[in-house]
Every structure is written in structure tokens, then in C-alpha cells.
Amino acid sequence: QVQLVESGGGSVQAGGSLTLSCVASGYMYRSYCLAWFRQVPGKEREGVAGIDNYGIIMYDDSVKGRFTISMNNANNTLSLQMNNLKPEDTAMYYCGLRGWVGQRGMELGLWARREDYDYWGQGTQVTVSS
């Protein structure tokens, strides 16, 4: 049974930092894509950053230069280091897992298509105050 368990959310002031973690277990993909998404009430879930098992990394333009996604294969933990947080980063953050999309697929933004993800975590709330 696949499980994705997020942690690390919280409340910070603008300019602060947080690190989110997502422990993945039970998946059988030979090749995969893991990503962080975020969602605010009334809006669709949007891709923030994605990484595949070959180390290809993609970011949404809104977080480039501020967020860093990484994967520790030794303990199956996906992380998102978030620096210089802004009030508009306030959202519920989810990690998602899907099959591999290929390098071209990553570059074309397939990593950010929420409807193609097979598994999701329960989410962790990030609140940034001004």
C-alpha cells in the first residue's frame, strides 16, 4: 500500500523559511516523478516543484530561486526547502507520486498535471504572515 506522509508545515513571517518533508513508502515504480503541490480554498491544486528518479528537477516560476526540492533515496524522503517565504505562499502543501514522464515530459510541464498523479499525501499547512 502506497503511503505519502507530509510534515514540516507551520506559521512564519514573510521572509522566513520552512522545510517540508514527505516520506514515501510502498510504491513499486521503477521510474517515477514526485512533486510538491499547493492549494488554497476555492482554487485548483497547482504544481510547485517536481523531481524524478533521474534527478531532473523543475520549478514553477513563482518559486524559482526561493524553493529547493530534493529526494533522499536512502530513506525515501522528499523535501522542499522554502526560503524568503511570501504571504502568497500560504496554502496546504501536498506531495504527489506518479509514474515517470521522461526528461522531455518534465520540461514540458507534465510533472505539474495534478490529474495524472496516482497518490497524494494528506497535506501540511503553510501560513505566511506579512
Side-chain angles (χ1 to χ4, degrees), residues 91-102:
M92 184 71 80
Y93 283 71
Y94 299 88
C95 66
L97 171 67
R98 61 161 295 168
W100 188 55
V101 301

Side-chain angles (χ1 to χ4, degrees), residues 38 46-48 59-67 86 89:
R38 64 188 179 188
E46 62 178 12
V48 174
Y59 295 99
D60 183 76
D61 286 345
S62 64
V63 305
K64 281 181 181 176
R66 301 188 299 121
F67 290 11
K86 303 176 180 181
D89 294 318

